[in-house]
Amino acid sequence: MTNDEIRDFIQQSIGENHVMLFMKGTPEQPMCGFSARTAAALNALGVEYSALDILPDPRIRQELSGLSQWPTIPQLFVDGKLVGGADIVTEMYETGELADTVGVAQPAAEQVPEPPAVEAPQTAPLGLENRLG
Amino acid sequence: MPTPGELKERIEIALPGSTAEVQDLTGGGDHFRAEVISERFDGLSRIDRHRLVYDVFGDEVGGPIHALSLKTSTPEETT
C-alpha cells in the first residue's frame, strides 16, 4: 500500500464516519492511556463510532498528522472536523460539550470515564491493516 | 532528554506573559503534563490553544516528547 493510498483511506474514513477515532490499539484493547481515556468518553456517551488503530504501520500516523496538523494520538474527528486529542475530549465530556458535538444526550451520572473501555458500541473495524503490506 | 523546567521555559518564552506548570508524568523525560495560563488563549478554541503550545515544540511532540498533555486557560478563567 502506498503512502497516497494510506492518506486516501484516512481521508475517506474521516469523511464517511460521523464519529471517527484514530487511536493506539482498539476500543476493546487500547494500547495507551490517552487512547483508552478518549475511547472511554465515547463509550460513556453510547455514541456509535469508528476506530482505527494507527499502530500496525507508522505511515498511518505520519499521514494522519500531516492531514490534521495535530502531532499526537488519539485524534477524534466529528463530521469531518478535528475535535481534539485526549485532553480536549475529556474536558468536553466533562462539560457536556462532547455530547452536543456528537449529537447525543449527556449521561445522567456525571463521572469521568475510566479505562478500560467496555462494551464499545462501535462499528466493525475498518480493516486498513489487512490492506497493508 | 527534555526536562519539565526546559519545557516550562520554552513555553513561557514563546508565549510572553504566560505561566506554565510542567510535570514529568512518568519520570522518563518523555511524557509531560503542562498547565498553561496565557492571555493569548482569549477567544481561541481549545484546538487552537493546544496548537499554540504544540507549535512551541514542533516535531519534538510525537518525537522525543512522546506525549504532552495540556490544560490551557486564560487568566480570567482561572479566577
Side-chain angles (χ1 to χ4, degrees):
Chain A
M1 202 168 185
T2 68
N3 288 20
D4 281 354
E5 283 169 336
I6 290 176
R7 191 166 63 241
D8 288 348
F9 183 86
I10 292 169
Q11 250 165 347
Q12 198 184 338
S13 308
I14 293 170
E16 288 178 356
N17 293 287
H18 168 51
V19 183
M20 181 71 214
L21 176 64
F22 295 89
M23 65 185 292
K24 293 182 182 175
T26 62
E28 293 77 18
Q29 198 164 12
M31 301 302 284
C32 158
F34 298 102
S35 287
R37 191 144 54 90
T38 306
L42 293 173
N43 294 343
L45 291 180
V47 65
E48 190 175 283
Y49 63 99
S50 298
L52 179 69
D53 181 2
I54 62 110
L55 291 175
D57 190 318
R59 294 177 299 168
I60 303 174
R61 181 187 181 149
Q62 285 165 20
E63 295 297 334
L64 173 63
S65 287
L67 278 171
S68 62
Q69 293 299 300
W70 191 259
T72 53
I73 303 294
Q75 298 185 22
L76 178 69
F77 291 79
V78 176
D79 296 329
K81 204 165 162 256
L82 178 66
V83 172
D87 297 318
I88 290 179
V89 170
T90 306
E91 268 183 48
M92 289 178 71
Y93 174 80
E94 286 166 2
T95 61
E97 289 163 86
L98 187 64
D100 283 349
T101 303
V102 300
V104 299
Q106 178 80 356
E110 276 293 335
Q111 284 179 338
V112 181
E114 290 293 338
V118 287
E119 294 175 45
Q122 65 153 10
T123 50
L126 296 176
L128 175 63
E129 53 272 30
N130 300 331
R131 300 203 226 159
L132 296 167
Chain B
M1 198 197 303
T3 64
E6 184 189 325
L7 265 62
K8 171 185 167 69
E9 195 181 328
R10 288 175 66 188
I11 293 169
E12 290 178 350
I13 288 170
L15 304 174
S18 69
T19 57
E21 295 305 323
V22 182
Q23 280 175 275
D24 184 336
L25 290 176
T26 60
D30 53 5
H31 287 70
F32 295 94
R33 163 88 175 163
E35 300 200 4
V36 187
I37 301 170
S38 171
E39 297 276 6
R40 286 279 299 280
F41 298 145
D42 192 30
L44 296 183
S45 67
R46 285 191 180 84
I47 287 261
D48 290 336
R49 289 177 177 197
H50 284 220
R51 278 205 173 111
L52 265 185
V53 182
Y54 282 148
D55 284 350
V56 175
F57 303 103
D59 286 349
E60 292 167 73
V61 175
I65 302 172
H66 178 85
L68 178 60
S69 171
L70 293 177
K71 180 175 170 61
T72 52
S73 324
T74 63
E76 291 73 34
E77 288 165 357
T78 61
T79 52

